[in-house]
Amino acid sequence: IDPMIRGSLVALVTPMTPDGAVDYAGLQKLVDWHVAQGSDGIVSVGTTGESATIDEDEHCEVIRRTVEFAAGRIPVVAGTGANATSEAIRLTRCAKEVGADACLLVTPYYNKPTQEGLYQHYKAVAAAVPVPQILYNVPGRTACDLLPETVARLAPVSNIVGIKEATGKLDRGRQILELC
């Protein structure tokens, strides 16, 4: 993983105005606040940040503005996961183009892919976009569990650099470390 990306990475909400538009002034204040508070990095438009409810153009613009507001003061990880591989590639490509330091890719939600499907999904995104990528496993929200054996198959992919493991199973991290 990039040595700049370490420590506490805070998942940002995406501030919205009363009419449902992205509140970019509020986003700037939020980024500035995290920089001032000493956060080690921020995650823009992850699953905490309205990624499932804004369109692709808004998604890319939120990432672009977050990178702009951070201005190199703090690493920005962009949430670019999607339930369609083609959409995840487009979002990841956008994040790379606007200067995100890395991308966080949640498992495809709703589809319930097989382990082979997950492997092919992540491998395709990594092959399409040369940016550091972090796998994100949160089966309680996606109905899809990225198993340690599949993570081990993905570990040799050079730009897959980490995992956010959110099963709540304390032994899961140990299993992944042993296999990788």
Side-chain angles (χ1 to χ4, degrees), residues 12-13 22 37 48 53 63 100 103-104 106 113 120 122-123 125 130 138 141 155-156 159 169 172-173:
L12 299 181
V13 298
V22 177
Q37 296 305 307
T48 300
T53 59
I63 297 167
C103 293
L104 177 68
V106 70
Q120 294 298 331
Y122 283 119
K123 187 177 166 198
V125 178
V138 58
R141 304 290 274 174
N159 58 324
K169 298 176 183 176
R172 183 60 70 96

Side-chain angles (χ1 to χ4, degrees), residues 13-27 49-50 53-55 58-59 61-62 65:
V13 298
T14 302
M16 308 297 270
T17 63
D19 67 353
V22 177
D23 177 0
Y24 291 109
L27 180 61
E50 304 298 332
T53 59
I54 59 177
D55 67 32
E58 289 173 310
H59 196 123
E61 183 63 11
V62 170
R65 297 271 191 112

